[in-house]
Amino acid sequence: MKPASSTDYRELARRRLPHFLFEYIDGGSYAEETLHRNVKDLQKIALRQRVLNNVSQIDLSTSLFGQKMALPCALAPIGLAGMNARRGECQAVRAANKAGIPFSLSTVSACDIEEVNAAASAPFWFQLYMIRDREFMRDLMVRAKEAGCSALIFTVDMPVPGTRYRDYRSGLAGAPGIKGGIRRAVQGAMKPHWAWDVGINGKPHSLGNVAPVLGANSGIEDFFAWMRNNFDPTVTWDDLDFIRTEWDGPLIIKGILDKDDARQAAALGADGIVVSNHGGRQLDGVPSTTRALPAIADEVGDELTVLADGGIRTGLDVIRMLALGAKGVLLGRLWAYALAADGERGISHMLSLIEAEMQVGMALTGATSIDQITRDMLVAPE
């Protein structure tokens, strides 16, 4: 029986993935308060049910950054996603292309830019962190341009990696050398489907885009050490000039949670922002995206394209985010669960669920197009 919801896909992913990989997808930082707020606050947003409207024809399409999209959604950049299924990012870009939405490739993906480009049938987006080695960043942007990437997502809320207790408990982080490798290998062997699909047939097990700088030291512990040593905590708004000089396409700043930062992004020439707290994986205790989004959309929504992520689990959640002021959303954990559960086919089915849920939600709120989803659709808080 096919999964009926994202909850079903999460459970399938939990069953099929080694424990350390599932915890990496599923977890957040510290006590995970923000991770849970993202979901709970969004689900609390009440929609106005409207009746006796002609909703026989509903159009879910939109355009973002000059790109026509069948849904107001994109697949968010997810690190290590290619470890969830055989050459996972390649499966994901194919599913996104078939659905008519953008795919975003993470800097720290298993499949590199060129491999994903070979699998793609439409332009994809590329996500970049600020790294100490500016020449390495420049090279990544050149490679993304050569691959025809249509937008750059510059993630700004990770000058240092967040503290994620689950990763330490599972053995993904904090277990270096032979001991950590054995622990992860045992967990992998306990999941025969994953062991065959990824462990044996999914090689190479490396982070394709950063493999040139990791060299022979390509283990998971080497990756985390590289992150700690190479992510740049000195980055400021002035560094946006470097990105703008090197990238002449649409530039999306991801990780905005405060309207003053949104104003800065607009003033410095960004084309879009993603209102995001990194899925609750960075600073715990900050507001949910749901709480932060309306003020940010009011502040800069007329000047740049406001996207949002965090806590989205259904098509109704997509509608809620749009009603709060977003022009589109990034789906993160949803596609990671679906990929782990059933590869490309799982992502395609998950996106069909989102589409069907949006169709029903729009029909029952009286909206027939994406531009009709506004704050008037929401029930005012009591």
Side-chain angles (χ1 to χ4, degrees):
M1 184 169 58
K2 282 188 176 181
S5 69
S6 62
T7 302
D8 295 342
Y9 272 115
R10 178 183 179 276
E11 177 59 19
L12 279 176
R14 187 189 67 78
R15 293 178 186 177
R16 294 189 179 184
L17 285 176
H19 181 62
F20 70 92
L21 283 177
F22 177 76
E23 294 293 86
Y24 179 74
I25 295 173
D26 200 57
S29 64
Y30 295 97
E32 301 186 346
E33 289 294 334
T34 295
L35 184 157
H36 296 303
R37 285 176 190 166
N38 279 346
V39 176
K40 291 178 181 178
D41 287 354
L42 188 54
Q43 291 178 348
K44 288 178 181 178
I45 298 297
L47 300 170
R48 294 175 64 197
Q49 179 173 300
R50 303 299 303 278
V51 298
L52 297 178
N53 294 287
N54 183 352
V55 291
S56 59
Q57 299 293 323
I58 294 178
D59 183 8
L60 302 183
S61 67
T62 191
S63 292
L64 294 176
F65 311 107
Q67 184 173 349
K68 186 75 171 177
M69 298 164 51
L71 297 170
C73 306
L75 299 190
I78 295 180
L80 304 182
M83 294 300 292
N84 297 327
R86 185 189 312 181
R87 315 314 295 161
E89 290 93 0
C90 290
Q91 295 196 57
V93 76
R94 288 194 294 265
N97 291 164
K98 290 176 183 176
I101 66 171
F103 168 77
S104 310
L105 180 66
S106 171
T107 295
V108 289
S109 56
C111 302
D112 65 21
I113 297 169
E114 292 76 16
E115 184 179 355
V116 172
N117 185 42
S121 59
F124 57 96
W125 298 351
F126 183 66
Q127 176 269 335
L128 186 67
Y129 291 108
M130 183 58 78
I131 299 165
R132 292 179 189 273
D133 186 344
R134 299 296 195 264
E135 287 304 313
F136 176 59
M137 291 181 65
R138 184 177 287 112
D139 178 65
L140 284 176
M141 285 186 276
V142 168
R143 290 168 60 190
K145 287 180 189 177
E146 291 176 347
C149 292
S150 57
L152 181 72
I153 300 176
F154 181 44
T155 299
V156 296
D157 60 354
M158 202 168 175
V160 295
T163 298
R164 302 165 191 167
Y165 295 151
R166 288 209 219 182
D167 290 347
Y168 286 91
R169 293 167 182 149
S170 71
L172 179 63
I178 295 175
K179 182 178 179 181
I182 291 175
R183 185 177 177 187
R184 291 188 292 272
V186 169
Q187 292 181 28
M190 294 172 65
K191 302 293 182 178
H193 178 275
W194 179 90
W196 175 255
D197 183 51
V198 180
I200 296 175
N201 294 309
K203 297 177 181 179
H205 297 150
S206 63
L207 296 171
N209 295 319
V210 299
V213 293
L214 286 176
N217 300 316
S218 58
I220 284 180
E221 59 270 18
D222 301 309
F223 159 62
F224 282 107
W226 179 83
M227 286 179 60
R228 288 192 298 271
N229 295 329
N230 287 279
F231 280 28
D232 191 352
T234 71
V235 62
T236 69
W237 287 105
D238 292 338
D239 291 287
L240 199 62
D241 289 338
F242 166 72
I243 303 296
R244 253 298 170 220
T245 299
E246 299 297 326
W247 183 265
D248 56 7
L251 174 62
I252 306 165
I253 308 299
K254 181 177 183 291
I256 301 295
L257 206 62
D258 186 279
K259 68 177 184 179
D260 291 340
D261 287 338
R263 169 57 51 201
Q264 281 274 71
L268 292 173
D271 299 287
I273 59 172
V274 184
V275 180
S276 173
N277 51 41
H278 218 99
R281 295 168 65 80
Q282 280 297 100
L283 179 59
D284 197 25
V286 297
S288 65
T289 303
T290 299
R291 292 290 182 93
L293 175 58
I296 292 174
D298 290 344
E299 183 74 18
V300 299
D302 292 335
E303 300 172 56
L304 44 69
T305 300
V306 177
L307 309 178
D309 69 11
I312 299 166
R313 297 294 183 266
T314 66
L316 288 182
D317 291 338
V318 176
I319 292 173
R320 290 177 171 117
M321 283 292 197
L322 298 181
L324 290 169
K327 296 299 183 185
V329 304
L330 300 186
L331 307 176
R333 285 181 174 89
L334 281 187
W335 79 261
Y337 294 145
L339 175 68
D342 199 17
E344 177 184 341
R345 182 171 55 188
I347 297 175
S348 293
H349 181 245
M350 179 274 292
L351 290 172
S352 73
L353 293 178
I354 293 291
E355 180 179 7
E357 290 162 351
M358 287 191 69
Q359 290 272 2
V360 172
M362 289 173 66
L364 296 179
T365 53
T368 58
S369 62
I370 296 302
D371 60 4
Q372 292 179 9
I373 301 176
T374 67
R375 226 166 280 177
D376 289 339
M377 186 183 288
L378 303 179
V379 175
E382 296 180 357

